[in-house]
């Protein structure tokens, strides 16, 4: 927008309608640049015009129920005697009926790089003492506290209110209060760095479908251990990532620069093809957030310390402005499909019964809805009813596509459930299979990869050992080769979709690919019995 000085009533209404549409497109967020012509020419406004324009913008925002925050101001060299400025303003809607923006960020990095501590500092609002106090609230098991190593996946939430201020546990808030006062939530998925827990980390990356990944690198050790592997995982699953170099208070400037250079070298390699962007000021953070969402090739790099708090604000500014990946139209399309919920975790809660946690990948799920869950070991689907829904620890009536939540199933028998199942609407007639084909690339293998080889396959929330039954057109594969391979699950059939991303591993063997064909086992509706249809693959 160039300027918004005292608009007429008609023009004001028009501007308000435009703002409504923009907020809807950006799922409740929009960034306005004032003092820029429509063709992108930086004209700038004088002090007085700018004040009047911001006043109009504030009036517009009040009308649509939003708040505005000035992100940054810039002076423009324009041939005039008066200094002229451009202002960037974030307009964010105050949330109604619990529909806050939810971004999921997976946290990756080598063991001891300071992942849990950084999350502790961000979500608790207190700096660390250098001996791991900040991360104690994130650990879920006693052995994690004793060894200081994360071995399970834990979730932490950080909120931003409509004015762009951080909402976290600092003012002794509970999780429910954070949800109520935030219009944007960032859920951090804290993953394990240790090599021993790699399968947990892969499960976290494939099943919780994060929007972004944050790779934490320790400034004093540089790129070591599992850092490269985690970087590779994020790239294989096409998760856009940004990098945080932690512990800069421990080492000299030269060491930090060395680590930055090392990272830049790796990011510019032909395999990565990323453009590193080092963030040193608020201005950089705003630019990084906007560019990062538009082109996935840009990788912002932050250098910060969880102990001295240096540059932590830059990361907060970045997270506050980071827009969602999907626009409202794509989400609407997903919501119109049939319900499908991926089961990632199963708990038993006293006086509630069985509870499942996971992500709704399509459709809408309401309280009291009847769904079927499966496949069980013999390929059946069982009926069940959703008793109540919780999202980020606060009750929620309706769950929309792409949101993560926990569903209470009442007295349903827990032993019938396992990770990797799906809950779908009964009319979906889900396809399940034991045998499937996938086009794969072998990333690393010590010798040759051939028929009869057993690997652990990860597809979404499914993880199970499978046997290689046939490699089409070849009898063996070497590192870096591509082929279509037929796999068979060894234990029970699973619900898969054609086109789903696939990762497999076995010791040092690793590969990625996507599912190309399923040999379906059909399930009939009446009483949900089974009949084996003719296979879709020729034997």
């Amino acid at each position: 927008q160039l300027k918004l000085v005292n608009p007429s009533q008609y023009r004001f209404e028009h501007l308000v309608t435009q703002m409504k549409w923009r907020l809807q497109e950006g799922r409740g967020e929009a960034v306005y640049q004032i003092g820029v012509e429509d063709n992108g020419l930086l004209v700038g406004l004088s002090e007085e015009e700018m004040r009047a324009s911001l006043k109009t913008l504030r009036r517009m925002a009040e009308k649509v129920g939003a708040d505005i925050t000035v992100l940054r101001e810039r002076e423009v060299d324009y041939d005039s005697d008066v200094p002229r400025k451009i202002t960037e303003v974030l307009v964010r809607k105050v949330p109604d009926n619990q529909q806050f923006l939810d971004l999921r960020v997976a946290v990756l990095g080598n063991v001891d790089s300071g992942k849990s501590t950084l999350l502790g500092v961000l979500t608790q609002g207190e700096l660390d003492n250098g001996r791991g106090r900040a991360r104690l609230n994130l650990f879920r098991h006693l052995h994690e506290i004793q060894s200081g190593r994360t071995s399970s996946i834990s979730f932490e939430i950080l909120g931003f209110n409509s004015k762009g201020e951080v909402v976290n546990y600092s003012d002794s808030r509970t999780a429910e209060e954070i949800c109520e006062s935030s219009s944007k939530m960032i859920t951090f998925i804290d993953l394990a760095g240790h090599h021993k827990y790699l399968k947990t980390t892969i499960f976290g990356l494939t099943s919780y479908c994060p929007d972004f990944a944050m790779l934490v690198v320790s400034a004093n050790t540089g790129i070591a251990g599992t850092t490269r592997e985690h970087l590779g995982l994020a790239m294989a699953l096409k998760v856009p990532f940004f990098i945080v170099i932690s512990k800069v208070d421990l080492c000299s400037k030269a060491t930090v620069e060395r680590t930055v250079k090392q990272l830049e070298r790796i990011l510019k390699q032909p395999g990565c093809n990323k453009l590193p962007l080092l963030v040193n000021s608020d201005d950089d953070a705003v630019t990084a957030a906007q560019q990062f969402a538009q082109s996935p090739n840009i990788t912002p790099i932050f250098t910060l310390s969880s102990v001295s708090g240096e540059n932590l604000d830059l990361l907060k500014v970045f997270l506050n402005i980071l827009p969602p990946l999907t626009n409202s139209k794509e989400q609407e399309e997903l919501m119109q499909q049939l319900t499908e919920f991926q089961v990632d975790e199963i708990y038993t809660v006293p006086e509630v019964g069985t509870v499942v946690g996971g992500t709704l990948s399509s459709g809408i799920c309401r309280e009291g809805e009847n769904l079927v869950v499966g496949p069980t070991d013999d390929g059946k689907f069982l009926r069940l009813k959703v008793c109540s829904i919780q999202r980020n620890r606060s009750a929620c009536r309706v769950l929309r596509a792409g949101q993560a939540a926990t569903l209470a199933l009442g007295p349903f028998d827990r032993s019938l459930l396992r990770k990797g199942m799906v809950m779908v609407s009964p009319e979906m007639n889900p396809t399940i299979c034991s045998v499937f084909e996938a086009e794969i690339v072998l990333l690393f293998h010590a010798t040759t990869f051939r028929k009869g080889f057993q690997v652990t396959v990860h597809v979404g929330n499914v993880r199970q050992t499978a046997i290689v039954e046939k490699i089409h057109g070849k009898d063996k594969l070497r590192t870096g080769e591509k082929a279509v391979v037929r796999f068979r699950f060894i234990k029970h059939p699973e619900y898969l979709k054609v086109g789903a991303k696939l990762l497999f591993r076995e010791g040092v063997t690793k590969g990625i690919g996507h599912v190309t064909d399923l040999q379906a086992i059909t399930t009939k509706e009446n009483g949900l019995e089974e009949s084996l249809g003719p296979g879709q693959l020729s034997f």
Side-chain angles (χ1 to χ4, degrees):
Q1 300 289 336
L2 181 54
K3 51 183 167 184
L4 311 163
V5 184
N6 297 338
S8 64
Q9 189 57 35
Y10 172 72
R11 167 107 172 111
F12 183 71
E13 292 298 329
H14 170 73
L15 286 168
V16 168
T17 315
Q18 193 183 19
M19 184 184 266
K20 262 189 187 159
W21 185 80
R22 285 199 176 150
L23 285 173
Q24 197 180 346
E25 272 297 284
R27 291 179 48 189
E29 287 189 339
V31 174
Y32 273 74
Q33 291 175 330
I34 302 175
V36 182
E37 279 196 22
D38 287 350
N39 59 9
L41 188 66
L42 305 176
V43 184
L45 298 181
S46 66
E47 192 85 9
E48 215 161 278
E49 291 177 321
M50 187 56 86
R51 215 177 297 126
S53 297
L54 285 175
K55 194 173 157 193
T56 310
L57 198 61
R58 206 162 269 125
R59 263 177 58 207
M60 283 159 56
E62 272 169 19
K63 190 118 187 191
V64 290
D67 273 331
I68 71 170
T69 337
V70 175
L71 294 178
R72 55 178 173 177
E73 288 187 341
R74 282 213 177 143
E75 290 210 352
V76 196
D77 301 335
Y78 201 66
D79 25 342
S80 75
D81 314 333
V82 201
R84 287 172 165 269
K85 281 186 176 167
I86 299 178
T87 309
E88 272 190 44
V89 183
L90 176 71
V91 182
R92 181 176 286 162
K93 220 172 145 112
V94 182
D96 47 342
N97 70 19
Q98 307 169 321
Q99 287 313 317
F100 43 77
L101 244 174
D102 196 9
L103 293 183
R104 286 192 288 273
V105 178
V107 185
L108 299 167
N110 188 30
V111 63
D112 301 337
S113 63
K115 294 184 295 296
S116 301
T117 301
L118 175 61
L119 290 194
V121 170
L122 283 173
T123 55
Q124 312 293 332
E126 294 181 9
L127 293 175
D128 188 51
N129 60 356
R131 293 198 175 76
R133 186 181 68 198
R135 65 182 182 197
L136 288 179
N137 299 342
L138 274 75
F139 286 156
R140 294 171 45 165
H141 301 291
L142 180 64
H143 69 84
E144 293 183 331
I145 293 174
Q146 286 162 349
S147 70
R149 293 203 173 135
T150 310
S151 68
S152 62
I153 301 173
S154 67
F155 293 92
E156 284 308 311
I157 54 177
L158 175 69
F160 289 99
N161 63 16
S162 50
K163 295 189 178 70
E165 297 156 356
V166 174
V167 183
N168 55 18
Y169 293 110
S170 56
D171 309 329
S172 69
R173 293 189 185 91
T174 60
E176 288 87 16
E177 286 166 6
I178 294 182
C179 291
E180 277 164 21
S181 47
S182 304
S183 41
K184 177 176 191 172
M185 295 283 294
I186 294 193
T187 308
F188 288 107
I189 307 167
D190 189 19
L191 301 172
H194 201 280
H195 205 277
K196 182 163 97 178
Y197 308 121
L198 185 68
K199 79 167 190 180
T200 308
T201 306
I202 294 181
F203 182 73
L205 269 178
T206 52
S207 70
Y208 294 114
C209 358
D211 299 304
F212 302 105
M214 172 163 88
L215 183 71
V216 183
V217 180
S218 158
N220 52 1
T221 53
I223 296 170
T226 46
T227 309
R228 283 204 171 124
E229 212 158 307
H230 285 180
L231 188 72
L233 284 176
M235 293 199 58
L237 293 166
K238 296 194 169 54
V239 180
F241 60 91
F242 57 96
I243 297 178
V244 170
I245 298 178
S246 64
K247 307 191 184 181
V248 293
D249 57 300
L250 281 184
C251 41
S252 62
K253 247 194 171 129
T255 318
V256 178
E257 277 167 18
R258 198 182 70 216
T259 306
V260 172
K261 285 214 169 65
Q262 196 182 4
L263 274 169
E264 285 179 344
R265 198 164 58 241
I266 279 195
L267 291 173
K268 287 176 182 167
Q269 278 173 358
C272 269
N273 247 342
K274 301 278 187 203
L275 191 67
L277 175 64
L278 191 61
V279 178
N280 290 322
S281 63
D282 280 359
D283 218 28
D284 292 352
V286 175
T287 314
Q290 290 169 356
Q291 297 293 331
F292 180 54
Q294 283 160 13
S295 74
N297 287 349
I298 286 181
T299 303
I301 301 179
F302 296 87
T303 52
L304 53 83
S305 158
S306 305
V307 176
S308 67
E310 186 187 331
N311 290 354
L312 257 177
D313 294 349
L314 300 185
L315 184 60
K316 288 178 185 166
V317 167
F318 174 78
L319 292 169
N320 177 26
I321 306 168
L322 202 57
L325 283 176
T326 54
N327 55 25
S328 48
K329 193 168 154 215
E330 289 169 33
Q331 201 200 12
E332 294 286 320
E333 283 169 9
L334 272 175
M335 276 161 55
Q336 280 154 12
Q337 296 169 11
L338 289 167
T339 307
E340 181 191 315
F341 181 86
Q342 296 185 345
V343 178
D344 296 334
E345 295 198 71
I346 302 154
Y347 324 94
T348 306
V349 179
E351 296 176 13
V352 180
T354 307
V355 174
V356 294
T359 315
L360 188 69
S361 41
S362 64
I364 287 182
C365 178
R366 295 186 173 83
E367 279 185 7
E369 197 159 346
N370 289 309
L371 300 172
V372 295
V373 66
T376 54
D377 291 356
D378 47 6
K380 287 196 175 66
F381 276 77
L382 312 163
R383 298 174 187 280
L384 55 79
K385 185 179 172 185
V386 178
C387 299
S388 65
I389 304 175
Q390 275 203 350
R391 205 174 142 217
N392 281 343
R393 309 188 182 101
S394 53
C396 168
R397 297 243 175 273
V398 182
L399 189 61
R400 295 161 197 237
Q403 297 178 343
T406 48
L407 313 180
L409 307 178
F412 194 82
D413 184 4
R414 175 182 174 162
S415 60
L416 297 171
L417 295 170
R418 59 181 170 79
K419 283 184 187 183
M421 280 186 162
V422 284
M423 287 163 53
V424 293
S425 61
E427 62 261 31
M428 187 154 171
N429 199 7
T431 52
I432 56 172
C433 65
S434 282
V435 178
F436 67 97
E437 293 197 349
E439 188 179 315
I440 62 158
V441 180
L442 202 58
L443 293 180
F444 183 77
H445 187 46
T447 53
T448 53
F449 180 83
R450 57 184 70 218
K451 187 181 154 185
F453 205 77
Q454 280 196 6
V455 290
T456 307
V457 175
H458 293 261
V459 187
N461 61 342
V462 170
R463 73 172 165 200
Q464 203 192 130
T465 308
I467 294 180
V468 177
E469 284 208 332
K470 185 178 180 187
I471 301 175
H472 290 283
K474 293 180 181 169
D475 37 340
K476 58 189 179 192
L477 277 185
R478 293 186 183 281
T479 302
E481 291 187 335
K482 241 185 194 178
V484 176
V485 177
R486 186 191 304 155
F487 291 100
R488 175 188 290 278
F489 284 126
I490 61 170
K491 274 162 75 184
H492 32 241
E494 297 280 11
Y495 170 85
L496 294 181
K497 277 183 174 165
V498 172
K501 291 193 195 104
L502 166 135
L503 259 168
F504 60 85
R505 56 179 180 84
E506 173 51 58
V508 289
T509 306
K510 287 184 201 65
I512 55 169
H514 60 270
V515 179
T516 53
D517 193 10
L518 309 172
Q519 184 177 338
I521 306 169
T522 53
T523 45
K524 268 196 192 151
E525 262 307 284
N526 47 15
L528 298 165
E529 297 167 353
E530 308 181 274
S531 70
L532 279 159
Q536 290 161 343
L537 304 172
S538 48
F539 283 99

